[in-house]
Every structure is written in structure tokens, then in C-alpha cells.
């Protein structure tokens, strides 16, 4: 059976396989080390040229299972988290935040995505050529940011124009919220998503630039 197959019988088998692998790696340090070496070896620059779900490596295939809709998705996500030593930053590095957000939200760990990374998360999970491109990686997609994106549309705008466009976006999002099309949220104290009543709640904790400039 291939990890890329998606019919019901294969999905049931994947759930069995990942469930067994999860229990084994949780209980055995040796099994965990072996699976980590085979599935998430130290990253090299070539690993982040494309998204984590693209390619033929075991890591790519497991991430694709994490994107599915069956029980195997949750088991694959938890399995990868165990291989990443239950480190949020390491999980994001290997899978991209977009692929791991569901697990982090359900586990109440979204509040940890911006915490400083410990040295142990780097020492055995990346190589020197990976470190050379690390700053160019988009943490959401888990791959290098595309180059030659052109001039930013905000580049020639005044601060007043930027504020006007921002408020237009806020009002448009508020209308979508009122009609139930979207339901934005923020991270609550428990590390889980929490619904908001207005878009401005998303920026209420941002520092005021004017206050910062006056204090300098």
C-alpha cells in the first residue's frame, strides 16, 4: 500500500499503521530514533525548495496524509509531533505551520508558535547549507519564499492611504463575519482558537507606532 492512496480501505490501513507506529515510538526511544532518522533526517537546503507535502520522501508522504480528512490525518500529525520530540518549532520546521495548525489548535499549543527556538531544535535537525537559507523560509508553507515578486503595492502609498486601505479591508471582513461566511479568531489563554466579535480585536494588542516613536 502507498501513502498516497486515498480510498477507504487504504485509509483504514493507514490509521492502523500510524496508530501502531505512534504507540511504538511513544513507548520506545530506540524506535523513535529509528523513525526520526528515516522520516525526518536533518534538513538540507534542497528539502525546502518545495513544500513539505511535495516530493517522494517519507516526510513528504506523511505530510500529505496529514492533509487528508480521515482519522489517519490526526494519527499522522500526532506521530510526526512525537518524532519532533513534541517541539512546536521543530514540527513547524518539518511540516510548515499550515500543515500542523490543526494539531496545534486541538492541543492548545498555538500560543507557542512564536516562542524562541531552543538550541536542541537545531543541533540534530538541520545542516549548514540549510542554515544558510533558513531566513528565507516561509514558516507557513515550510519552503523558500518565491523571489522576484515585484514591487509591493504599498511601496508608493502614504501612511494615510495605507490606513484607508486597511480600514476598507477591516470593513469588508466585518461584513463577511456578519453574514457568516468567515469566522475569524485569535488565540485564547488556553492556546486554542477563540472567536472574535470584530476584526479590530485582531490588532488590539499591537504596539502603537506613534507611542513608540514618541518614547524614542
Amino acid at each position: 500500500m502507498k501513502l498516497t492512496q486515498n480510498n477507504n480501505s487504504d485509509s483504514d490501513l493507514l490509521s492502523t499503521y500510524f496508530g501502531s507506529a505512534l504507540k511504538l515510538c511513544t513507548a520506545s526511544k530506540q524506535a523513535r530514533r529509528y523513525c526520526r532518522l528515516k522520516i525526518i533526517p536533518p534538513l538540507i537546503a534542497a528539502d525546502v525548495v518545495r513544500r513539505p507535502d511535495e516530493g517522494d520522501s517519507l516526510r513528504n508522504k506523511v505530510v500529505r496524509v496529514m492533509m487528508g480528512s480521515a482519522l489517519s490525518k490526526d494519527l499522522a500529525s500526532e506521530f510526526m509531533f512525537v518524532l519532533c520530540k513534541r517541539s512546536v518549532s521543530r514540527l513547524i520546521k518539518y511540516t510548515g505551520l499550515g500543515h500542523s495548525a490543526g494539531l496545534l489548535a486541538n492541543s492548545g499549543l498555538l500560543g507557542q508558535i512564536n516562542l524562541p527556538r531552543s538550541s536542541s531544535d537545531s543541533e540534530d535537525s538541520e545542516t549548514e547549507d540549510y542554515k544558510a537559507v533558513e531566513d528565507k523560509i516561509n514558516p507557513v508553507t515550510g519552503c523558500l519564499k518565491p523571489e522576484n515578486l515585484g514591487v509591493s503595492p504599498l511601496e508608493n502609498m502614504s501612511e494615510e492611504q495605507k490606513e484607508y486601505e486597511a480600514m476598507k479591508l477591516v470593513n469588508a471582513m466585518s461584513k463577511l463575519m456578519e453574514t457568516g461566511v468567515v469566522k475569524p479568531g485569535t488565540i485564547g489563554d488556553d492556546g486554542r482558537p477563540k472567536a472574535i466579535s470584530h476584526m479590530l480585536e485582531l490588532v488590539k494588542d499591537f504596539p502603537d507606532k506613534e507611542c513608540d516613536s514618541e518614547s524614542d
Side-chain angles (χ1 to χ4, degrees):
M1 186 199 69
K2 297 181 179 180
L3 288 178
T4 51
Q5 293 175 336
N6 293 314
N7 59 53
N8 290 335
S9 61
D10 285 339
S11 179
D12 292 340
L13 284 174
L14 280 175
S15 298
T16 301
Y17 292 158
F18 276 114
S20 300
L22 175 59
K23 289 183 178 180
L24 178 62
C25 289
T26 301
S28 170
K29 187 175 183 178
Q30 290 75 17
R32 194 162 56 247
R33 282 180 173 176
Y34 177 80
C35 289
R36 186 181 300 128
L37 179 63
K38 293 295 183 181
I39 299 174
I40 52 171
L43 290 170
I44 60 176
D47 292 330
V48 292
V49 171
R50 55 193 176 191
R51 292 178 1 181
D53 58 302
E54 297 176 347
D56 297 320
S57 71
L58 283 175
R59 177 176 72 102
N60 302 145
K61 294 177 180 179
V62 173
V63 172
R64 283 200 289 273
V65 176
M66 292 170 61
M67 299 169 61
S69 57
L71 173 61
S72 55
K73 172 190 69 173
D74 297 327
L75 292 171
S77 299
E78 184 66 26
F79 173 64
M80 187 69 85
F81 195 34
V82 168
L83 295 189
C84 290
K85 303 180 180 180
R86 296 194 176 277
S87 164
V88 172
S89 60
R90 186 184 290 237
L91 179 67
I92 292 174
K93 179 165 65 176
Y94 276 105
T95 68
L97 177 58
H99 298 122
S100 57
L103 170 70
L104 298 178
N106 293 334
S107 304
L109 297 172
L110 281 176
Q112 297 185 24
I113 60 177
N114 292 320
L115 293 180
R117 197 171 67 186
S118 65
S119 58
S120 62
D121 284 336
S122 302
E123 61 187 14
D124 62 348
S125 62
E126 56 193 43
T127 56
E128 289 301 322
D129 69 333
Y130 170 85
K131 293 178 182 179
V133 300
E134 186 176 10
D135 293 339
K136 301 178 182 178
I137 297 173
N138 183 330
V140 176
T141 61
C143 64
L144 293 174
K145 301 173 184 176
E147 298 181 356
N148 302 321
L149 294 179
V151 179
S152 169
L154 301 178
E155 189 169 316
N156 297 320
M157 285 188 182
S158 65
E159 291 302 317
E160 291 76 13
Q161 287 175 310
K162 292 178 183 178
E163 184 175 348
Y164 172 74
E165 293 297 331
M167 290 309 302
K168 280 176 59 178
L169 179 60
V170 168
N171 291 332
M173 291 296 293
S174 294
K175 290 180 180 178
L176 291 175
M177 288 176 60
E178 292 170 2
T179 56
V181 176
V182 296
K183 190 176 181 181
T186 185
I187 300 174
D189 295 334
D190 60 355
R192 290 181 167 83
K194 179 182 68 174
I196 61 173
S197 57
H198 194 277
M199 286 298 299
L200 290 178
E201 291 184 47
L202 294 175
V203 297
K204 67 177 182 179
D205 295 326
F206 279 28
D208 191 323
K209 290 185 178 180
E210 292 185 3
C211 293
D212 290 344
S213 60
E214 290 176 0
S215 62
D216 290 342

